[in-house]
Structure formats: C-alpha cells, structure tokens
Amino acid sequence: MGLAVGIDLGTSNSCVACVRGGQVIVCEDNEGRRTQPSVVAFGSRSVVVGHRAKKQILHSPEGTVTSSKRLIGRRFEDAEVQRMKSHSAFGVFRGDNGDARLRVHGKSYAPEEISAHVLSHMKRIAEAQLGETVDRAVITVPAYFNDPQRQATRDAAQIAGLECIRILNEPTAAALAYGYTRSTKKRIVVYDLGGGTFDVSILRVDGDLYEVIATAGDTLLGGDDFDIAASEELIKLFEAQTKQSFADNRTVRLRMREAAELAKIALSEAEEVLIDLPSAWRTVQGVDHSFTYTLDRHTYARWVLPLVQKTLAICEETMKTAKMNMRHIDAVLLVGGMTRYPLVREAAQHLFGRVPDTSVNPDEAIAVGAAIQAHTLTSTDESMAPSVLLDVTSQSLSIRTMGGHCDVLIPNNTPIPTEHSKVFHTAVDQQTEVRIAVYQGEGRQADMNELLGQFVMEVPPMPRGQVRIRVTFSIDADGIVQVRAVDSVHGQEASIRIEARGGMSPEEVKQAHFGSVADQDLVPEK
Ligand code: AMP
C-alpha cells in the first residue's frame, strides 16, 4: 500500500503535505515551490497543470482553465455559474444532467475532471519528493460546501486514481495544523478567505480533541470576487477615458481582471500601485489604447469594502450561533491567500478585538492539517497520539412539505456523523410510491435551497395510511448525505430511486479515470 497525503485543493492554489517520522513535510516541486496554481492548460496533445499552466493564461486564455472549483457540484442555472460564464475565456455550458460543464478547444469536461488533473499533479509532486507511491488522500473542501460539491470532489479523487479517505473542512484542517505542535486548551476562530470561498469556524481545542462549535460561510465570496469588483471599476474608468463600452469585450475584461489581481497583491505591501497596460485595448484597425491609473489603498478599500463587511457579518452570526462573545476567543487564525491583504487582517483584528495569530502559514496550514488527519486515519504508529475531530454540518438538511416550505430534519451545526429518522405514510388508497424531495440550505422555502435529490420509494399498494415508511437521513464524517428507508409492513429495506441528482454518473467517473494511456498524455512539470 502506498502513502496517504493531505491535499488542499484550492480555488486558486493547491498544496500537498505528508506526515513522516512524526514530521509534517510540505511537498515541493522541483523548483522548490510549495504551492501550485490550480490551473489546467489544454494544448493540442498535452495537458499541463500548475505553474506552467498559469503562464499560458494570457496567450491561450480559451485553453486554460482557472477557478474551476467554483463550478464543481453546481447546476448550470446557478447564479455563480452564470457569472463564471461571463468572466471566463473557456466555455461553460449545461451538461445533459443539468450540471455546469466546461468546453475547451471543442471538447467538454466536467469540473471534476479538471480537479482530477490538479489532484493528479499534486500526487506526482508528492511522489517525486517522497520517493513512494501515493494512493490515498484526505482532501479539504470549504466548510460551506454542500453535498453535491463534496460528492464531486470525491469523484475527482477517484478519476485521479486516489482513494479519498476523508473529505475534511478547510478551517478544521487549519485548526489541526495550529494545534499539532502545542498542547493547548483554547477556543479559536478560523477566518478563511481564499480565492473562491469564505469560511469561518469556531472550535474548542483541548489537547488532541478538536471540536467544531459552529461554522458558516459563503461559497461565492473569495479573492476572485475582489478582483471582479476592482476590475469593474477599472473598466468604468477606461470606458470613460475611451468613450467605448467594453461590456462584451472579453480580452479587455480579462486584462483588467489580471491587472486588478496584481494591483491587489502589490497593494498588500505598498500604499499605492501604478497600473500600466500599454495595449489595454486594440481597435479593429489595430490601434493600441493604453490604460494607466494609480490605485491607492484608500480607493481600493472603497471598492471592496462591501465584500469585507460581508465576511464580518458572517463571523458575527457564527459567534451568535456558538453562543459566544469576543471575550471567549483565545486565538484568531487567518488562512487563505486573501488574508495577506492588510484591510482584511485589520477588519478581522477589529472584529475579534485581538491581533491574529501568525504562527500558521496561511498558504500551507490547510494541507498540513489534512496530512495530520491522513496520518491519524492510516497510521499504526503508537508514538503519535491520534487527534479526535468532532466536526459539524454547515448546512441544514430538510424536506419539502406542503406549500413549498422546508421542514428541517438535521439543522446546521449538528455534530457529524449524525442521523435522523422520520416516518412517512401513504395518503391515498393503493398508492404505489412515496416521493420525498430533500434540500440543503437555510432558506425557509424549498426553492431557496439546493435540491439534493427526490427520493422515490416504492410501496406495496394498500389502503391509505397503512403503509408506514421510516426514512433515515444521515450525514457521514465527510459531510455527505445518505438516505435509507424501511417499510413498516414488511420490515424490509424499501427500494429508493434517487432522481434529480447531478454530478457524474459512476460510469462516467470510471471512464474518465486516468488510466496509463491518459497518464502519458500528461506532461509533468519540468
Ligand atoms: P488561496 O485560495 O488561499 O490560495 O488564495 C488565493 C487568493 O489570495 C487569490 O485571490 C489571490 O489573489 C489572493 N492573494 C494571494 N496573495 C495575496 C497578497 N499578498 N495580497 C492579497 N491577496 C493575495
């Protein structure tokens, strides 16, 4: 059997780590880089991933996939997918099952396949450094990921030839990394703002016990949104200057987006930055128009403040759920690349009334925590005390009732694994099936939430009310929902058909699996 690693599969960057001989090793590529861009570039005969792929964005934008994690496990109609569609150079379209799919050079891909390329790249980097086969992984996801997004991440691992031994919430992983080297009894907040998502978790850490008290987040709020907001402002300035509309000009929009991200990173060190794009727009006659603008921190703060405030509102709500006030908190951990930005750090510091702890590396902590968990789940090494994780479900599980309302079965912040049963009975004589629609989310109305599936149970035809079925909804340690049903007449497991569930079918996953032939198509980074 090979090694088990921890992989932080991020929206913008990914990182892989492993525990060996009681030491955590963050794996480096052959140029010593410890994180890899989650970017996949498709050429005519090869696929490149990571730093080499990122370099191709400007000269082959339509062949380079970035931020595909924002599409994983989502329906095409989802507002986020529509937004990605208008901001991406690669194609985004509706798959046969209603899910978002990508089109690159005329070929279609599920977002799971893109994530699988990134996972496979991380696996190779770990194998090259550790000199052993890696075949299992703990993979992290945003705490606020719902069931389809978690399932899709598992499928991505399978395609990449990795057994996913646990789906772990990113903030929980960061807390594990924090607690690993210290014997501590603390209540900590993990504020995690990455490229695509925001999560906050409040945990009680007591020695080797990590108990999540409350978690919340927004899977549509990350560094990408800061870049989109700032690039919209830059586009407005350029439009005023040129008296042109760039609403439909993809090239100008992409350039401004890239400039916005670079300016943001520069502003995290400097008070102001000069944005200088000599050929920001080329007319059909081939005339270049340049764009120059000096952006200062004050103006940037005005542009992105609503996004920062959104994260703070989520933190305050989570503190209320945890029935805590700021005085109860012993440490604030900041993770995710966006927490390098001073405005974000200052906002978190102001809200929690304490200087954030800087002992964990914001880019590596999640992979380190995942590696620790992988070690706990697989090691027989007695010298290392295993950590005990008690996590919670981030979103409520409910069923639709009359009038389209949601009846909550498992509320958010319930410790997982958990299960809850409900008895249903037939309402009509000779009824042959009972249909139950299961939703995830906090909306009171079903249509405000994510439909996980319609569970159709076949029942023996009998007078109404005589067939009772106990349905058990459970959420496992990966945060994935399972449903079982027992028919009270025969005491037998009722047969359940799941309809309207998206994601790749098991056959599609099997077919997409990177076999040895596909592996040769992948060009490892030199
Ligand atoms: P992650 O997903 O944690 O790798 O975070 C990626 C996000 O962090 C992207 O939106 C980056 O633009 C952003 N980021 C990385 N470094 C910095 C920095 N020094 N200042 C501001 N944002 C940064």
Side-chain angles (χ1 to χ4, degrees):
M1 204 167 249
L3 288 174
V5 296
I7 301 179
D8 168 11
L9 178 62
T11 309
S12 310
N13 297 293
S14 294
C15 182
V16 55
C18 183
V19 174
R20 248 189 174 182
Q23 294 291 318
V24 183
I25 302 165
V26 175
C27 302
E28 298 176 357
D29 64 14
N30 46 14
E31 290 189 27
R33 295 170 297 209
R34 294 157 76 89
T35 59
Q36 314 297 324
S38 306
V39 179
V40 179
F42 293 88
S44 52
R45 279 182 303 122
S46 63
V47 181
V48 289
V49 186
H51 290 279
R52 266 180 67 197
K54 193 166 182 181
K55 281 196 198 127
Q56 296 197 18
I57 294 178
L58 267 191
H59 67 259
S60 172
E62 60 297 323
T64 313
V65 181
T66 58
S67 298
S68 68
K69 183 173 166 183
R70 299 195 92 168
L71 297 175
I72 205 163
R74 286 189 192 273
R75 313 293 285 171
F76 176 70
E77 280 73 26
D78 198 303
E80 171 63 359
V81 173
Q82 295 306 313
R83 210 157 67 109
M84 272 283 278
K85 189 170 176 265
S86 64
H87 284 101
S88 306
F90 52 86
V92 178
F93 70 102
R94 187 181 200 282
D96 292 341
N97 62 357
D99 277 0
R101 296 261 162 143
L102 300 95
R103 188 170 288 118
V104 186
H105 298 322
K107 212 172 155 211
S108 72
Y109 299 90
E112 290 89 319
E113 293 175 87
I114 306 296
S115 291
H117 278 296
V118 177
L119 289 172
S120 177
H121 187 63
M122 303 316 287
K123 168 174 146 79
R124 280 154 202 265
I125 285 173
E127 287 176 339
Q129 165 144 19
L130 303 165
E132 277 184 61
T133 305
V134 168
D135 58 6
R136 289 163 297 157
V138 168
I139 301 172
T140 59
V141 296
Y144 216 64
F145 251 22
N146 63 18
D147 177 79
Q149 292 169 309
R150 287 167 192 267
Q151 297 262 16
T153 305
R154 288 197 79 111
D155 290 343
Q158 196 183 333
I159 295 168
L162 278 168
E163 182 195 341
C164 176
I165 48 176
R166 179 62 42 90
I167 294 281
L168 180 63
N169 290 334
E170 289 166 4
T172 311
L176 271 173
Y178 172 78
Y180 182 61
T181 49
R182 40 175 85 74
S183 161
T184 188
K185 189 171 176 163
K186 282 185 176 169
R187 272 166 298 198
I188 62 173
V189 168
V190 181
Y191 176 106
D192 177 5
L193 187 59
T197 56
F198 172 67
D199 278 327
V200 58
S201 290
I202 299 165
L203 295 100
R204 201 177 289 130
V205 181
D206 188 355
D208 298 315
L209 177 73
Y210 296 77
E211 185 186 2
V212 181
I213 304 164
T215 191
D218 188 336
T219 50
L220 309 179
L221 179 54
D224 286 358
D225 302 284
F226 284 66
D227 303 340
I228 291 170
S231 69
E232 293 298 340
E233 298 292 339
L234 295 176
I235 290 166
K236 270 193 227 156
L237 292 168
F238 195 38
E239 285 180 336
Q241 195 183 308
T242 54
K243 313 246 173 328
Q244 274 290 322
S245 163
F246 298 113
D248 299 318
N249 190 323
R250 241 172 210 209
T251 317
V252 171
R253 303 190 79 82
L254 269 176
R255 288 214 172 112
M256 290 297 183
R257 171 103 182 252
E258 201 201 19
E261 183 179 11
L262 291 175
K264 170 187 75 181
I265 293 172
L267 283 177
S268 70
E269 301 286 335
E271 284 297 324
E272 60 175 39
V273 56
L274 175 71
I275 298 173
D276 184 16
L277 302 175
S279 61
W281 170 48
R282 176 166 288 182
T283 62
V284 273
Q285 292 82 21
V287 181
D288 279 340
H289 286 257
S290 62
F291 176 71
T292 7
Y293 180 70
T294 303
L295 178 61
D296 59 41
R297 277 192 185 169
H298 184 73
T299 309
Y300 188 77
R302 205 160 28 84
W303 292 350
V304 301
L305 198 60
L307 298 172
V308 178
Q309 283 168 337
K310 231 170 156 184
T311 68
L312 300 183
I314 296 171
C315 290
E316 282 175 327
E317 208 42 56
T318 317
M319 291 293 287
K320 266 194 220 150
T321 309
K323 298 190 178 57
M324 281 192 188
N325 62 43
M326 306 308 171
R327 276 180 298 111
H328 294 123
I329 298 297
D330 301 304
V332 177
L333 306 190
L334 300 185
V335 285
M338 272 308 298
T339 62
R340 293 190 188 280
Y341 197 79
L343 176 70
V344 173
R345 303 188 76 84
E346 285 155 18
Q349 178 169 339
H350 183 73
L351 178 73
F352 293 105
R354 61 177 54 248
V355 179
D357 184 291
T358 50
S359 62
V360 299
N361 179 322
D363 300 323
E364 298 172 5
I366 294 171
V368 167
I372 294 164
Q373 183 65 1
H375 186 261
T376 298
L377 294 173
T378 58
S379 171
T380 47
D381 177 3
E382 304 278 314
S383 66
M384 240 180 101
S387 40
V388 178
L389 266 190
L390 302 173
D391 216 323
V392 296
T393 176
S394 59
Q395 300 195 39
S396 303
L397 190 71
S398 53
I399 53 166
R400 189 174 59 209
T401 56
M402 296 270 284
H405 296 295
C406 269
D407 181 4
V408 175
L409 292 168
I410 302 178
N412 59 350
N413 294 305
T414 300
I416 52 171
T418 184
E419 66 174 41
H420 184 95
S421 294
K422 196 161 176 104
V423 175
F424 295 88
H425 52 78
T426 47
V428 180
D429 289 340
Q430 309 306 314
Q431 190 172 336
T432 55
E433 40 179 60
V434 176
R435 181 179 292 263
I436 296 152
V438 180
Y439 288 81
Q440 204 166 28
E442 307 317 312
R444 286 195 183 170
Q445 290 295 117
D447 57 14
M448 294 161 76
N449 295 327
E450 174 83 18
L451 173 66
L452 295 190
Q454 310 233 20
F455 302 99
V456 182
M457 291 173 303
E458 286 150 30
V459 293
M462 289 176 80
R464 71 185 163 139
Q466 289 204 2
V467 183
R468 296 171 72 244
I469 293 175
R470 175 173 290 275
V471 185
T472 305
F473 300 85
S474 58
I475 302 179
D476 67 15
D478 290 343
I480 289 176
V481 178
Q482 326 260 335
V483 182
R484 279 177 291 119
V486 174
D487 148 3
S488 65
V489 180
H490 308 101
Q492 278 172 1
E493 194 96 347
S495 87
I496 302 178
R497 263 189 350 255
I498 302 173
E499 293 174 356
R501 166 160 248 157
M504 294 175 82
S505 67
E507 291 71 34
E508 278 183 299
V509 171
K510 233 184 244 163
Q511 269 174 17
H513 184 274
F514 296 163
S516 53
V517 177
D519 268 0
Q520 285 160 15
D521 287 343
L522 295 172
V523 181
E525 198 162 33
K526 286 273 154 16

